[in-house]
Structures are given as C-alpha cells and as structure tokens.
C-alpha cells in the first residue's frame, strides 16, 4: 500500500473473523533509530489498532528499533506518527521519522541547518554523529507524537 493511498483513506483493510477496527492502525514495519532502508510504503498487514485520546491525530503506529534516540525512545517502543505534508513547516527541535529519497529512514531530532535548504538530523545518543540532509532529499516526513512502551516487566 502506498503511503499516499494510505493517507487519503483509500485503504481496503484486511478481513478477519474478529478484528476491532477502531483507532489508529499498528503496522508490521519497523522505523529505525538508525539508518536502515525503507521506501515509505505501508505494509499490507495491520496488526492491531490503538485508541488513545492523546494519539487521535496520528495516522499510524510503527515499531522502533535501534538505540540512537535512547533514553527518550527505546528499541521496541511503538511510535505514533503524524504526517507532515509541507516540509517548510518543520518544527525544529522535535522528533521526526524522515524517509529519504534513497529509502533511508531515521527517527531523529530535526535542527535547522547552517545553510538554506539543509536540516541537521540529531540523535539523543551522543555515540551517533549528526547527519546533514538537504530538504530536497526528504521523501516522506512524519512528526513523532510519542511512544507507547511495554516495559512493565
């Protein structure tokens, strides 16, 4: 399923004998607090739904893998995503899922770049270097609303 189709509401959801279809869909795909490849398309399988008032504006939940955003986000967290249609309205200092034109996906803080037309992708974990990215290389952009964490153990 293409993300554009997904966002336009034209997705035909999978049929199941018992499935609650209320809330924000959880997709069987991982976002990375690192730099693994993903082209921005949503997978066909929805693994569940989450309905929480504070995440109502989200369009999807994805699982996070990696430690570049530790201690704010942890590997295994589900992150709620809000699409950003206009990259000229980036709220610097917030956390985003950035999908690049060469299919890299990264969950990072976005900072204003030193040059026009550039942004800085910054990890919370100081073991990771900043990444300077031309805004023209952004294929898809989602603001991370926050995590849902299963760390009760």
């Amino acid at each position: 399923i293409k993300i554009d189709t997904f966002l336009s509401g034209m997705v035909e959801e999978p049929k199941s004998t018992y499935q609650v279809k209320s809330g924000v869909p959880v997709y069987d795909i991982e976002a990375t607090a690192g730099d693994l490849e993903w082209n921005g398309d949503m997978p066909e399988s929805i693994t569940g739904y989450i309905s929480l008032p504070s995440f109502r504006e989200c369009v999807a939940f994805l699982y996070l893998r990696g430690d570049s955003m530790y201690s704010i986000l942890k590997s295994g967290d589900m992150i709620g995503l809000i699409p950003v249609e206009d990259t000229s309205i980036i709220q610097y200092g917030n956390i985003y899922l950035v999908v690049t034109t060469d299919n890299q996906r990264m969950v990072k803080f976005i900072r204003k770049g030193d040059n026009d037309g550039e942004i800085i992708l910054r990890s919370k974990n100081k073991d990771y270097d900043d990444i300077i990215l031309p805004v023209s290389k952004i294929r898809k952009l989602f603001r991370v609303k926050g995590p849902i964490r299963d760390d009760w153990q």
Side-chain angles (χ1 to χ4, degrees), residues 3-147:
I3 187 71
D4 296 331
T5 304
F6 170 75
L7 295 176
S8 71
M10 302 302 293
V11 175
E12 184 176 321
E13 296 178 357
K15 294 177 175 50
S16 172
T17 56
Y18 177 78
Q19 184 175 18
V20 177
K21 295 183 179 181
S22 170
V24 179
V26 177
Y27 286 90
D28 187 19
I29 193 169
E30 295 176 351
T32 58
D35 62 353
L36 299 177
E37 287 192 18
W38 176 55
N39 66 7
D41 295 342
M42 290 295 177
E44 293 184 16
S45 62
I46 295 172
T47 60
Y49 293 83
I50 295 176
S51 182
L52 293 170
S54 59
F55 287 91
R56 233 179 248 135
E57 61 189 313
C58 295
V59 296
F61 281 96
L62 304 180
Y63 290 94
L64 182 71
R65 295 290 175 246
D67 68 348
S68 72
M69 293 303 289
Y70 186 82
S71 64
I72 294 172
L73 300 173
K74 298 177 182 178
S75 189
D77 285 351
M78 278 190 292
I79 54 173
L81 302 175
I82 301 168
V84 175
E85 301 297 332
D86 184 355
T87 57
S88 69
I89 311 175
I90 294 173
Q91 297 172 348
Y92 297 111
N94 285 328
I95 301 172
Y96 289 86
L97 167 63
V98 180
V99 181
T100 66
T101 56
D102 60 348
N103 296 332
Q104 299 296 305
R105 69 186 190 278
M106 297 167 273
V107 176
K108 306 284 184 193
F109 288 109
I110 292 185
R111 297 288 194 191
K112 187 172 182 160
D114 294 332
N115 300 314
D116 286 342
E118 286 182 347
I119 58 172
I120 298 170
L121 303 179
R122 182 164 293 156
S123 299
K124 170 71 172 164
N125 184 335
K126 299 300 182 197
D127 291 339
Y128 291 83
D129 292 331
D130 287 349
I131 298 169
I132 298 170
L133 183 73
V135 174
S136 63
K137 294 288 187 180
I138 297 174
R139 181 171 184 252
K140 300 287 180 185
L141 187 64
F142 299 88
R143 186 168 60 84
V144 175
K145 173 72 173 178

